[in-house]
Amino acid sequence: MDGALVFTSPQKRFHERVLFGLRVVLNAQVPEDLAAVTRMDVKLGHRMRPCPDVLVVDAAAAEDDERTFYTPAEARLAVEVVSPESEDHDGKTKPSRYAEAGIAHFWRVENMDGSPVVHVCELDPATRVYALTGIHHGRLTVPVPFPIDIDLTALPR
């Protein structure tokens, strides 16, 4: 991040479970031209390659097994599952960088007593800042970046 290495600390099982579940459910719902991937960098600049927990990208880009990163133009949705150790990066630093790069949709997932709560944000193109469009408990239903309906209480494990 900004040319500095950012080390991640061990993740709780909640983090891994939600990350996996969202990838599976999103891949079941994405249109043919998109794919959900996990743990892949998005290159925002020369020294800026954050790694979102889940990223929805163009399917053609996702098919390239030689890739080590995606570009903001290929990304439709970036998702960060917040851990206590990553609160600042996942809640402040990364979202502002994704917005500046023009990634249209961002979700921040938090742990509320063992259940995922999803904060859905959409990019305001005029200000290049995310606007919160909803906080979802139990069920997440949104029309963009494509129609999505997720039972957050029944994510695949």
Side-chain angles (χ1 to χ4, degrees), residues 26 36 42 48 55-56 63 68 74 79 90 93 120 127 142 154-155:
L26 285 169
V42 59
M48 181 71 58
L55 194 61
V56 175
E63 287 296 318
T68 61
E74 295 167 326
V79 180
D90 292 347
T93 307
V120 174
T127 62
V142 292
L155 288 175

Side-chain angles (χ1 to χ4, degrees), residues 62-99:
E63 287 296 318
D64 182 355
D65 288 340
E66 299 301 312
R67 299 290 290 265
T68 61
F69 67 86
Y70 299 106
T71 66
E74 295 167 326
R76 300 294 178 267
L77 167 66
V79 180
E80 295 292 351
V81 180
V82 178
S83 293
E85 299 83 8
S86 68
E87 275 183 290
D88 279 345
H89 278 294
D90 292 347
K92 296 176 187 169
T93 307
K94 286 181 173 183
S96 68
R97 301 295 184 173
Y98 299 152

Side-chain angles (χ1 to χ4, degrees), residues 12-147:
K12 291 185 178 183
R13 171 73 174 118
F14 173 86
H15 186 275
E16 190 275 335
R17 178 175 60 82
V18 170
L19 187 152
F20 173 81
L22 285 176
R23 179 182 180 195
V24 169
V25 172
L26 285 169
N27 272 322
Q29 297 183 26
V30 294
E32 279 183 20
D33 62 330
L34 298 176
V37 299
T38 55
R39 307 307 234 158
M40 287 292 293
D41 292 357
V42 59
K43 188 173 184 178
L44 305 181
H46 177 63
R47 294 184 171 177
M48 181 71 58
R49 283 179 56 158
C51 183
D53 289 318
V54 180
L55 194 61
V56 175
V57 297
D58 295 339
E63 287 296 318
D64 182 355
D65 288 340
E66 299 301 312
R67 299 290 290 265
T68 61
F69 67 86
Y70 299 106
T71 66
E74 295 167 326
R76 300 294 178 267
L77 167 66
V79 180
E80 295 292 351
V81 180
V82 178
S83 293
E85 299 83 8
S86 68
E87 275 183 290
D88 279 345
H89 278 294
D90 292 347
K92 296 176 187 169
T93 307
K94 286 181 173 183
S96 68
R97 301 295 184 173
Y98 299 152
E100 289 169 8
I103 298 173
H105 301 277
F106 172 74
W107 295 355
R108 186 181 75 246
V109 183
E110 296 184 355
N111 181 345
M112 183 176 284
D113 300 322
S115 297
V117 174
V118 182
H119 299 249
V120 174
C121 300
E122 190 169 339
L123 184 66
D124 177 343
T127 62
R128 289 277 228 220
V129 173
Y130 287 124
L132 181 67
T133 60
I135 301 173
H136 301 263
H137 303 256
R139 181 161 225 100
L140 166 65
T141 304
V142 292
V144 291
F146 52 90

